[in-house]
Amino acid sequence: MTDDNQSPRVAGLGLEAFTGLTEQEALLRLAQEGPNELPSRENRGLLAIVWEVVREPMFILLVAAGTLYLLMGEPKDALMLLGFVFVVMGITIVQERKTEHALEALRDLSSPRALVIRAGQQLRIAGREVVPGDFAIVAEGDRVPADALLRASINLSVDESLLTGESVPVRKTASAEAKALDVPGGDDLPSLFSGTLVTAGQGVVEVISTGLQTELGKIGKALQAVVPETTFLQKETGRLVRILAIVGLCACALVVIVFALTRGGGVAVWKQGLLAGITLAMAILPEEFPVILTVFLALGAWRISRSRVLTRRMPAIESLGSATVLCVDKTGTLTLNQMTLKCLDVEGHSEDLAAAGTELPEPVHALMEYAILASRKDPFDPMERALHEAGKRWLMETEHLHPDWTLLKEYPLTPELLAVSQAWTSGTDEVTVATKGAPEAVAELCHLSDDRRARLKEEVMALASKGLRVLGVAQGRYKADGLPDAHHDLELAFIGLLGLEDPVRPTVPAAVAECRTAGIRVIMITGDYPATAESIARQAGIADPDKVLSGSDLKQMSEGELADRIREVNVFARVVPEQKLRIVNALKANGEVVAMTGDGVNDAPALKAAHIGVAMGGRGTDVAREAASLVLLDDDFTSIVAAVKLGRRIFDNIRKAVAFTFAVHVPIAGLSMLPVFIPGWPLLLLPIHIVFLELVIDPSCSLIFEAEEAEPDVMQRPPRATDERLFSLKSIGLALLQGFTALTACLVVYLVARPLRGDDAARALTFAALVVSFVAIILANRSWTYSILGSLTRPNTALWWVLGGTGVFLALALYLPTVQRFFHFAAVRGVDLLLACAAGFVSILWFEVVKLVRRRGSPRAIADAPSN
């Protein structure tokens, strides 16, 4: 047993009475009951990925073409083509495996650690290894590792808002006889539940249920069964692929029949016609579209994870570009969740610690002294930690700190009296009582007059209006044998008020302003007081911070009234988790696309109802993460804004990749089909040519366009409409026009070269022009704002790898005799090749003129063009 396994906070629990399970017993129960965690969805294995690949239409067409070559007595062509089949298959499998590994890396499968007693020894183990029958030690600040019964305790209180929504911790009472768990909620019960937070005291629990058998596990299991809905983008892509597949098959049949009938109809001719038909089907089939969606969304999730946001559901990335409202929590998201002591206020004197020097005025010394005495020596509560830090800074060299005093009695906070009092002794028979808590509760303990209470309320509101959390402090003196049993029976003297601040994150105002520029509303939801909420909203830059709706206001409103009021209200205060669902539904009723943050079990319905649920990773629960689409690892608002920006970038790049795919399939289909209908023309493209072109197209779609940086105005446009088509008529029209101009250039090259250089040399020059036109289409579509020359300054490592590889393979196909024969090429002259490549490149330059005209007419026009 090492020191790391010891808990510093278990004195007085009588641990010697608990022996616990042996390691062998624990291992046996772990095998029987399974790990103490929610199971993750099964991942696809290598064989499953291979099976999906071999069922792809493109794979089937490639195998069919290779088989046909064998039947035609062309074993070399068949082996070359089938070799390319396995290359393409390997690339696809590697991409799919990378996707799977990226998703595995994004899953948050960590479980909290637990301190258990086994064979009489304290051991710190992973939470997933806790088994029924284990004795676990829990103390202030710990998460309960499993559903359990309390067997020994000292002043144990637990926050069960995770399961009940009640923000006030409940007291727990140990029981040696209890056998069954109670329902969550209620004081003085021995039942503790997995995932709940110990807020005070310490105890020893006996584990009853683990994993899916816990209360938390039952909720998580139900949420895990939810099947993600197919998104608009997926439906639209599937519909387009089906249409083009049908068109491709019909065109294939037509080409086979026309080719055979116009060339005599012999067996060899029918085989050639079938080969031409397969080539055309491969040319038309847009098999890149599913690749684009899969790779872009998976790699997009990885990119978003670098902004500290994990993606649990890929379609959420698509939805990010449409978000019109971000509903965020105040504490920890807009603020740092780091309490600091900001202000000390005693009657007749107020001290702003931000402006204070190295010493404080004497009148406020007692206020800080008794506030620290009313706190734990080793605090977990962030406000108490802030008080201790302030004491170390300003009272260290004074007589107002008392580390040697002994705690004699504690009066804990209760729902009826929101204050805590601690009685201390310095070794004499005189006892010092220090109290802190809600100002109205402390005022009640001090029995202040109505007039003094009214003035106190004004002082509290003045501090709260500055965004401060306000506490009252009081003190009293008793003889050791004169302390009353009841908290309310204390006779205390009021000292003053503390103002604690949870500062707004420095990056938040700029991020909120960026959201406003991008047409996104930011709504703040908090359980804090309206005055504090208004102050924080004002500091964060949220619009109309003075218009605040409270939880009590929400209770009195109908759904229609709320939907009407919510159009102009961006700040909600004193809101309980259940009311978040009403806010989400009201926004959705107004046609908004809602992103909602949440951290507790009671937030799960709102997270599921929102278009984009964002769970807090730092302080959130497993159940909230299960319900959410995104997990915010650092709970920072700027991470959400960064994710929205990346979501817009990803959707833009998907559009560019789709436009490129449409454009390049036009010349491929044209060069495959025209020779069939023009007597005397040989086939210009064969399956091996299509495979080569696919080796250019696939990396371009999945690597080059995915890696493109965001357009300059990506956060200066309004959100994309949810029903806005990825394949709008205008964007498809521009893409098809690019394809037709490339096809025209290739036909011109062929018509000029054929009578001068012969069929095979003309085919080679036409193929070179086609490949270079593809390169020009890539460069032109990298940015719809920058010119080709301007976009070359934008970093994209994948671009140079793809272009370099394409150049090398094209040179081999044109000049290496063995490869020439496989491609049915003849040697070409350098000047001819230069002219053919120039024709291919120049064919796309008209799009540069379009970009220039649009850029001069409207800086944002070309970026918005595809959505028109």
Side-chain angles (χ1 to χ4, degrees), residues 809-833:
F809 280 113
L810 180 60
L812 291 175
L814 291 174
Y815 289 106
L816 195 65
T818 304
V819 182
Q820 268 184 8
R821 288 193 293 273
F822 280 122
F823 277 77
H824 299 274
F825 290 164
V828 296
R829 298 179 181 181
V831 174
D832 293 344
L833 180 61

Side-chain angles (χ1 to χ4, degrees), residues 29 36 41 74 101 134 252 266 302 307 317 469 490 538 542 566 653 662 705 711 828:
R29 295 194 185 190
N36 179 34
R41 288 188 175 89
E74 301 284 353
H101 288 318
D134 261 329
C252 173
W302 171 74
S307 295
I317 299 172
R469 178 71 62 87
L490 287 171
R538 196 178 303 280
I542 293 175
I566 209 169
N653 288 344
F662 268 115
F705 289 109
E711 295 285 354
V828 296

Side-chain angles (χ1 to χ4, degrees), residues 320-394:
L320 279 171
S322 302
T324 60
V325 175
L326 297 182
C327 295
V328 295
D329 295 315
K330 174 183 74 70
T331 303
T333 306
L334 294 178
T335 65
L336 290 169
N337 198 23
Q338 296 173 2
M339 281 289 181
T340 56
L341 188 59
K342 172 74 172 170
C343 178
L344 301 173
D345 189 284
V346 296
E347 196 165 16
H349 186 90
S350 181
E351 186 71 23
D352 184 353
L353 296 186
T358 56
E359 295 184 5
L360 292 177
E362 189 60 33
V364 298
H365 278 189
L367 177 59
M368 189 181 292
E369 174 187 4
Y370 283 94
I372 294 172
L373 284 173
S375 306
R376 294 178 179 274
K377 282 189 174 181
D378 182 20
F380 171 73
D381 182 87
M383 288 189 287
E384 293 190 347
R385 288 203 303 267
L387 291 173
H388 277 275
E389 289 169 5
K392 290 176 183 177
R393 178 175 178 182
W394 279 291

Side-chain angles (χ1 to χ4, degrees), residues 655-657 659-660 663 704-705 708 711 734-735 738-739 741 772-792 794 799 803 840-852 855 862 866:
R655 275 184 169 151
K656 294 172 185 177
F660 165 78
I704 293 177
F705 289 109
E708 276 303 312
E711 295 285 354
L734 285 171
Q738 292 178 32
T741 54
V772 172
S773 71
F774 281 12
V775 170
I777 293 173
I778 291 171
L779 295 176
N781 284 281
R782 282 186 64 202
S783 173
W784 287 327
T785 302
Y786 292 107
S787 66
I788 288 179
L789 291 177
S791 65
L792 290 177
R794 291 155 61 94
L799 171 71
L803 294 188
F841 195 86
V842 169
S843 68
I844 308 301
L845 292 185
W846 64 267
F847 190 55
E848 293 299 293
V849 177
V850 173
K851 285 197 280 187
L852 178 62
R855 195 160 56 243
I862 191 66

Side-chain angles (χ1 to χ4, degrees), residues 98-99 101-103 105-106 295-311 314 317 646 649-650 706-707:
K98 279 187 175 180
T99 298
H101 288 318
L103 297 180
L106 296 177
V295 173
F296 274 54
L297 294 181
L299 291 181
W302 171 74
R303 291 187 187 281
I304 288 176
S305 74
R306 295 197 298 177
S307 295
R308 308 291 294 158
V309 180
L310 294 186
T311 305
M314 294 298 112
I317 299 172
L646 280 168
R649 164 189 163 177
I650 290 164
E706 192 284 326

